[in-house]
């Protein structure tokens, strides 16, 4: 995510998914349904952090496979139970407790002053864990999970190979620029030039060229000659390779390249097709996020307050 192309693709997907904000709407036009929807909206308005910032943070699940946040409840003045905060947790601070059928039954979390132990592997008796919490205390957003694995899968995995190749190309491009962006020097010593002390004519020429490289004046012996060697290329092969890697990265995340990169050869129809593909990806992200938020946050608020 420190790579600008990777960050641009992921952030574009997150911002597009949240561009229209979060809407809580009643299931029907009845007064009870409207009252419940208004209550949930009030709870979200009273959160310590704006809900848009919370969801933007939670969408890091795209890159990491999943994101876990703790639901902190608070008693409201109207006697109901509201939400104080939805706090995302670092991945190193918790582990998932699964039953033999790969169902998440609880969260083993690092709790200051209680336990710093997050078990790995088989747990003989989960009830003995002092840091075990029910899943109802958390909001878990999982992307691309398979076989019931709550950790999900990173959307960036297909982008790894072009990213890695790009990291190997940058040093070679820098080496090329250092060597060929400016002219190189070639020196010729006079025929039958005599030694100066223990230094050969070639050693004297080399010292003179090094001094000229670090300054702007050089003095040579009579008959010596100095030429410049100018590269005719511009390192286009490196630039083409990096552009290829960037397109592969963007395609891996956004399933097309027109959203964040310029088209080399494309028509209006190509642009419209790319937009349609991006809309499908954004819709998939929105659907996954909204279903998880509705079932794990909204539904719990409604259940504890309205049954």
């Amino acid at each position: 995510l420190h790579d600008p192309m990777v960050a641009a693709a992921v952030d574009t997907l997150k911002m597009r998914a949240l561009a229209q904000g979060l809407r809580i709407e009643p299931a029907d036009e009845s007064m009870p349904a409207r009252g419940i929807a208004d209550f949930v909206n009030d709870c979200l308005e009273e959160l310590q952090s704006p809900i848009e910032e919370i969801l933007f943070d939670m969408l890091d699940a795209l890159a990491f496979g999943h994101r876990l946040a703790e639901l902190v409840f608070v008693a409201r003045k109207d006697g109901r139970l509201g939400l104080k905060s939805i706090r995302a947790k670092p991945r190193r601070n918790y582990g998932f407790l699964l039953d033999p059928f790969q169902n998440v039954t609880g969260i083993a979390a690092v709790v200051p002053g209680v336990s710093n132990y997050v078990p790995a592997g088989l747990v003989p008796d989960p009830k003995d864990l002092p840091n075990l919490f029910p899943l109802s205390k958390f909001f878990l957003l999982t992307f691309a999970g398979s076989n019931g694995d709550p950790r999900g899968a990173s959307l960036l995995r297909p982008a790894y190979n072009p990213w890695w190749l790009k990291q190997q190309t940058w040093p070679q491009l820098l080496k090329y620029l250092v060597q060929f962006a400016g002219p190189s020097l070639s020196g010729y010593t006079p025929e039958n030039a005599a030694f100066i002390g223990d230094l050969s004519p070639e050693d004297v020429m080399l010292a003179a060229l090094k001094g000229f490289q670090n300054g702007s004046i050089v003095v040579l012996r009579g008959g010596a000659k100095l030429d410049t060697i100018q590269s005719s290329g511009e390192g286009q092969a490196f630039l083409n390779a990096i552009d290829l890697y960037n397109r592969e990265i963007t395609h891996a995340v956004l399933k097309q390249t027109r959203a964040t990169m310029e088209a080399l050869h494309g028509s209006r129809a190509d642009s419209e097709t790319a937009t349609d593909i991006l809309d499908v990806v954004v819709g998939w992200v929105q659907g996954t996020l909204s279903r998880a938020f509705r079932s794990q946050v909204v539904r719990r608020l409604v259940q504890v307050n309205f049954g």
Side-chain angles (χ1 to χ4, degrees), residues 256 258 267-279:
Q256 48 80 50
R258 297 294 290 272
S267 62
R268 180 177 180 180
D270 293 335
S271 180
E272 292 175 350
T273 301
T275 301
D276 293 340
I277 295 174
L278 181 59
D279 289 341

Side-chain angles (χ1 to χ4, degrees), residues 38-268:
D38 290 341
F39 168 77
V40 174
N41 279 314
D42 288 342
C43 290
L44 298 183
E45 287 290 334
E46 295 171 357
L47 288 170
Q48 289 181 342
S49 300
I51 187 62
E52 291 79 12
E53 294 182 7
I54 295 172
L55 295 181
F56 191 86
D57 187 8
M58 291 297 294
L59 281 179
D60 278 348
L62 292 168
F64 301 126
H66 75 275
R67 199 82 164 100
L68 184 73
E70 180 185 6
L71 302 177
V72 181
F73 294 90
V74 63
R76 290 164 48 98
K77 294 180 180 179
D78 57 8
R80 294 194 175 105
L81 197 62
L83 273 176
K84 180 179 180 181
S85 63
I86 302 176
R87 297 177 180 175
K89 298 298 180 182
R91 290 180 296 162
R92 63 180 179 273
N93 285 2
Y94 60 86
F96 295 106
L97 185 67
L98 308 180
D99 64 14
F101 304 100
Q102 290 294 96
N103 298 313
V104 182
T105 59
I107 302 293
V110 171
V111 182
V114 177
S115 175
N116 292 325
Y117 172 62
V118 175
L122 295 177
V123 179
D125 191 352
K127 296 179 181 178
D128 294 337
L129 294 176
N131 55 338
L132 181 64
F133 296 91
L135 191 60
S136 58
K137 270 283 292 176
F138 298 91
F139 171 31
L140 172 62
L141 182 62
T142 300
F143 277 103
S146 61
N147 301 322
D149 192 341
R151 296 171 298 180
S154 173
L155 193 69
L156 301 182
R157 186 59 189 89
Y160 178 79
N161 288 339
W163 171 85
W164 175 247
L165 290 173
K166 187 166 72 166
Q167 305 315 303
Q168 311 310 305
T169 304
W170 281 122
Q172 299 303 318
L173 175 59
L174 177 60
K175 180 179 178 182
Y176 174 88
L177 294 175
V178 171
Q179 184 169 359
F180 295 111
S184 301
L185 300 177
S186 176
Y188 304 87
T189 58
E191 293 185 6
N192 303 320
F195 276 68
I196 301 179
D198 295 331
L199 298 177
S200 67
E202 290 76 14
D203 293 331
V204 175
M205 174 65 74
L206 179 60
L209 295 183
K210 286 183 177 180
F212 179 62
Q213 187 180 33
N214 297 323
S216 59
I217 298 176
V218 63
V219 178
L220 303 176
R221 301 177 66 182
K225 181 182 177 183
L226 177 64
D227 287 341
T228 61
I229 302 175
Q230 184 72 49
S231 174
S232 59
E234 299 179 355
Q236 195 61 42
F238 295 106
L239 299 179
N240 290 341
I242 291 175
D243 183 73
L244 172 63
Y245 302 148
N246 286 338
R247 291 183 179 277
E248 290 289 292
I249 290 171
T250 304
H251 197 276
V253 179
L254 300 179
K255 314 309 176 189
Q256 48 80 50
T257 60
R258 297 294 290 272
T260 57
M261 300 187 68
E262 295 181 359
L264 296 179
H265 307 285
S267 62
R268 180 177 180 180

Side-chain angles (χ1 to χ4, degrees), residues 279-301:
D279 289 341
V280 171
V281 179
V282 170
W284 172 74
V285 174
Q286 289 174 329
T288 303
L289 177 61
S290 62
R291 285 190 297 270
F293 191 83
R294 181 176 63 246
S295 63
Q296 300 181 44
V297 180
V298 176
R299 183 168 296 170
R300 288 170 187 165
L301 271 176

